[in-house]
Amino acid sequence: MATPKTAPDMQDLSAQIEALKADISAITSTLTEMGTARKDAAVSSARQQAEDLKAEGSRQLEMAQLTAEDYGAQAADAIRRQPATAVGIAVAAGFLAGLMTGRK
């Protein structure tokens, strides 16, 4: 008569299932930690890029303001040196703008 081996096989199977559960739990934990680390790195990188862009924008704005001030000073100087020419240019520009925007 054959001896039934179901009892030891069930114990082995139960032990293997428990080992698999533990392995899956460890893998899940590792993947969670990796995801968190990548998320933190991405957030940090995005913040650094935002700060860099803000600094670059401020620098560009300052340069634009200085350039505008320089052009304004040049225009004021040109008007002081040649007021009649400046008035003539302003009249001509106003006339052209009136022609282009006027209704017929």
Side-chain angles (χ1 to χ4, degrees):
M1 180 172 205
T3 57
K5 293 188 177 182
T6 57
D9 288 338
M10 288 298 275
Q11 288 176 352
D12 288 343
L13 186 58
S14 292
Q16 289 177 1
I17 288 173
E18 290 302 317
L20 284 173
K21 284 182 182 178
D23 289 346
I24 289 173
S25 177
I27 290 171
T28 302
S29 177
T30 301
L31 289 175
T32 301
E33 290 171 6
M34 287 174 59
T36 302
R38 285 190 179 182
K39 177 196 66 123
D40 291 344
V43 167
S44 176
S45 176
R47 284 186 180 148
Q48 184 61 42
Q49 287 178 352
E51 288 176 14
D52 292 346
L53 288 173
K54 182 179 177 183
E56 179 65 20
S58 295
R59 189 178 66 79
Q60 291 290 335
L61 177 62
E62 185 178 327
M63 288 180 62
Q65 287 173 337
L66 290 174
T67 302
E69 289 174 4
D70 187 40
Y71 286 152
Q74 289 177 6
D77 187 45
I79 291 170
R80 281 190 204 101
R81 283 185 284 129
Q82 300 175 345
T85 304
V87 170
I89 291 173
V91 168
F95 179 75
L96 289 174
L99 282 177
M100 292 190 315
T101 59
R103 296 183 186 198
K104 292 188 178 187

